[in-house]
Amino acid sequence: MVSPSQLQSLVPCPAGPLQILPAVSGRSEVNGQGHQDATLVLSLIIPTYNEGQTLEALVRTLVDRLNRVLPDQYELILVDDDSPDLTWERGLALSYQVPQLRVMRRQGERGLSSAVIRGWQVAQGQILGVIDADLQHPPEVLLSLLTAIENGSDLAVASRHIEGGGVSEWSFTRRMLSRGAQTLGLLLLPGVVGRVSDPMSGYFLVQRQAIAGPVLNPKGYKILLEVLGRGDIQAIAEIGYVFQERLEGASKVTWRHYLDYIHHLLRLRAGGRLSHLHRRFPLQRFVRFGVVGLSGVVVDMAILYLLHTTLGFPLTRSKLVAAEVAIINNFIWNDAWTFADVSVRQQSWSARLKRFLKFNLICLAGLVLNVMVLNLVYNLIFGQQWAYLANLIAIALVTLWNFWLNLKLNWRVTQVK
Ligand code: GDD
Ligand code: MN
């Protein structure tokens, strides 16, 4: 049992809007009037729901690492949603041995994203962060994230989707669900979700001043979306990490969280920072993509001529080979030229193969679309004598479509330095 005096050492949960105050250090007279004293360098939130088993190991490791680089300049804040397994009580007991640990027991309010923000609201650090309690986020990555922030980034994200990153033993279904959610996000909210390679990450650090001010309004699990969508984030860094298997306890993700995620995307679409949503059209890239496309037409024609007219192969088979050779041609040039800045960062053969397969898939979808648009334009708008004009329009639209899909889903241009 916890005694009343022990209960007093719990951090009270703030009420009111989910808003983080800007920091003022060393001027406590303004405190309470819209500012927070920030006397520490780092405040790291550990959100928990039934994570009593792993908590101590995590806290000990974090303290061990952080004491080497930031002695006395950081705090760990446990935000527990009144877990039935009494995680908060364990945290409280631990905090008597580990003075850097503060514990908030939240009653009445629930959910991962809001828990993180409630923690940030009582935080005293200039840098705010979050890490899972279940040891799926490797603690050693934290120091690299910290270095990235100290080198001038507003946001440093631990990512599963760059070199050095990955997941350990996920089933095919789980991988597909995760990627599907990300693809949906890229289509619904490209200006936010597309800024980083792993927008689903729940392991990151952010400068307080980049998210102080606006009232935050997250839904469900994906707190990083809220930070990207409503914060004033300029420079971003990413550090690769491998998402570890869960050894204790169970994930709290349910089907409802997928619905929450879509709801959250739509909400941000309606009210996020619009500046990010309307970035300039990447004209130079599009021109290159178009030039490569034209080279593909030449290759296609030449192979068709060679196979069908010169060597006498049947038309359909010749055309299929010609089309695939043209796709390979286009892929090579787009990879080496149009999207060179993206592909130099992902040079492994498996990454290249993935891009190539995606490119094929998008081209195939483009071909189907082409035939559909051609029929539509031909039958509805022009009429028999304008078949070639109709085809030209169809090609132009499909080129734009191909370009956009490849930009958003294949050679993804994130805003990471
Ligand atoms: N306070 C609080 N309230 N904490 C919660 C709640 C809640 O309602 N729900 C979950 N948590 C805590 C968990 O106790 C754990 O420490 C952390 O949030 C992550 O929850 P998990 O249920 O373990 O999530 P996951 O492993 O499926 O997903 C994680 O992986 C993603 C990468 O795919 C999450 O951490 C994501 O944020 C992360 O990006
Ligand atoms: Mn987990």
Side-chain angles (χ1 to χ4, degrees):
M1 261 313 279
V2 187
S3 73
S5 73
Q6 284 174 321
L7 279 179
Q8 286 199 336
S9 52
L10 284 170
V11 179
C13 180
L18 294 166
Q19 189 177 23
I20 290 148
L21 300 177
V24 162
S25 47
R27 287 177 57 208
S28 42
E29 72 272 17
V30 287
N31 200 357
Q33 297 173 15
H35 286 85
Q36 164 85 39
D37 271 327
T39 45
L40 299 173
V41 174
L42 170 70
S43 299
L44 188 65
I45 310 303
I46 309 172
T48 56
Y49 194 76
N50 286 344
E51 306 289 2
Q53 288 161 292
T54 43
L55 184 66
E56 177 158 3
L58 175 74
V59 168
R60 298 254 182 230
T61 317
L62 287 173
V63 168
D64 178 60
R65 301 289 150 105
L66 287 171
N67 278 349
R68 292 183 218 166
V69 289
L70 288 179
D72 303 324
Q73 291 178 298
Y74 72 93
E75 61 183 346
L76 306 175
I77 303 176
L78 183 83
V79 182
D80 184 61
D81 282 359
D82 211 11
S83 303
D85 83 343
L86 303 180
T87 308
W88 64 271
E89 218 179 272
R90 293 206 194 194
L92 202 57
L94 191 58
S95 72
Y96 296 123
Q97 299 160 29
V98 181
Q100 296 89 343
L101 179 65
R102 299 165 70 201
V103 179
M104 184 190 292
R105 173 193 185 186
R106 204 163 69 126
Q107 291 166 295
E109 213 175 20
R110 266 215 64 182
L112 176 51
S113 293
S114 65
V116 175
I117 298 173
R118 289 302 185 203
W120 285 340
Q121 284 184 300
V122 301
Q124 294 167 290
Q126 292 282 0
I127 303 169
L128 306 176
V130 55
I131 185 171
D132 284 359
D134 53 11
L135 295 173
Q136 292 192 279
H137 291 159
E140 56 276 10
V141 173
L142 187 67
L143 299 189
S144 311
L145 294 173
L146 199 59
T147 309
I149 294 274
E150 281 166 351
N151 289 341
S153 294
D154 298 312
L155 172 71
V157 183
S159 167
R160 295 166 296 169
H161 303 316
I162 55 168
E163 219 91 43
V167 292
S168 20
E169 284 168 19
W170 280 21
S171 68
F172 181 74
T173 322
R174 177 138 196 220
R175 275 173 212 258
M176 283 299 122
L177 276 175
S178 174
R179 284 302 195 168
Q182 188 168 348
T183 306
L184 185 71
L186 286 171
L187 298 177
L188 277 178
L189 200 64
V192 171
V193 177
R195 295 185 76 193
V196 293
S197 66
D198 191 358
M200 309 295 166
S201 178
Y203 190 12
F204 60 88
L205 301 181
V206 61
Q207 289 277 10
R208 172 192 290 271
Q209 95 264 357
I211 50 165
V215 173
L216 304 174
N217 188 15
K219 175 108 192 164
Y221 246 51
K222 298 306 172 189
I223 177 69
L224 181 56
L225 293 180
E226 191 69 10
V227 168
L228 285 167
R230 291 191 212 274
D232 179 14
I233 311 284
Q234 307 296 328
I236 306 177
E238 291 184 336
I239 310 290
Y241 85 102
V242 177
F243 191 75
Q244 303 296 310
E245 283 304 301
R246 199 186 238 282
L247 298 175
E248 303 287 347
S251 168
K252 278 84 208 174
V253 178
T254 62
W255 277 102
R256 264 220 38 202
H257 289 107
Y258 289 93
L259 297 180
D260 282 349
Y261 167 70
I262 295 171
H263 190 173
H264 192 188
L265 288 175
L266 295 175
R267 214 188 242 178
L268 278 172
R269 220 184 130 87
R273 288 173 78 88
L274 288 174
S275 58
H276 299 312
L277 300 177
H278 298 288
R279 264 180 292 140
R280 268 185 47 229
F281 182 78
L283 189 64
Q284 189 199 24
R285 236 186 253 284
F286 182 63
V287 169
R288 289 184 179 186
F289 192 80
V291 171
V292 171
L294 284 179
S295 82
V297 174
V298 175
V299 170
D300 180 291
M301 294 280 194
I303 301 281
L304 188 64
Y305 182 82
L306 182 79
L307 292 181
H308 182 61
T309 309
T310 316
L311 298 175
F313 285 105
L315 185 65
T316 306
R317 247 173 281 172
S318 305
K319 170 65 197 183
L320 284 178
V321 174
E324 187 55 36
V325 176
I327 287 177
I328 294 171
N329 167 81
N330 290 11
F331 175 77
I332 290 171
W333 286 107
N334 280 324
D335 206 50
W337 186 46
T338 316
F339 298 104
D341 53 331
V342 182
S343 42
V344 287
R345 284 191 269 139
Q346 295 162 34
Q347 296 226 23
S348 72
W349 284 104
S350 69
R352 271 184 233 233
L353 183 68
K354 247 186 229 164
R355 288 200 291 275
F356 177 64
L357 294 179
K358 274 195 202 168
F359 186 69
N360 267 280
L361 214 64
I362 293 173
C363 287
L364 192 69
L367 186 65
V368 173
L369 197 71
N370 198 335
V371 174
M372 280 165 37
V373 174
L374 173 63
N375 274 290
L376 209 73
V377 176
Y378 179 83
N379 289 321
L380 290 185
I381 307 177
F382 292 115
Q384 316 292 321
Q385 65 274 40
W386 293 102
Y388 286 92
L389 182 60
N391 194 28
L392 214 61
I393 293 175
I395 288 174
L397 285 176
V398 169
T399 305
L400 205 66
W401 168 259
N402 270 351
F403 172 69
W404 189 73
L405 277 189
N406 273 301
L407 180 76
K408 292 297 167 200
L409 304 181
N410 202 5
W411 287 277
R412 291 190 38 216
V413 185
T414 59
Q415 292 185 337
V416 178
K417 283 185 301 184

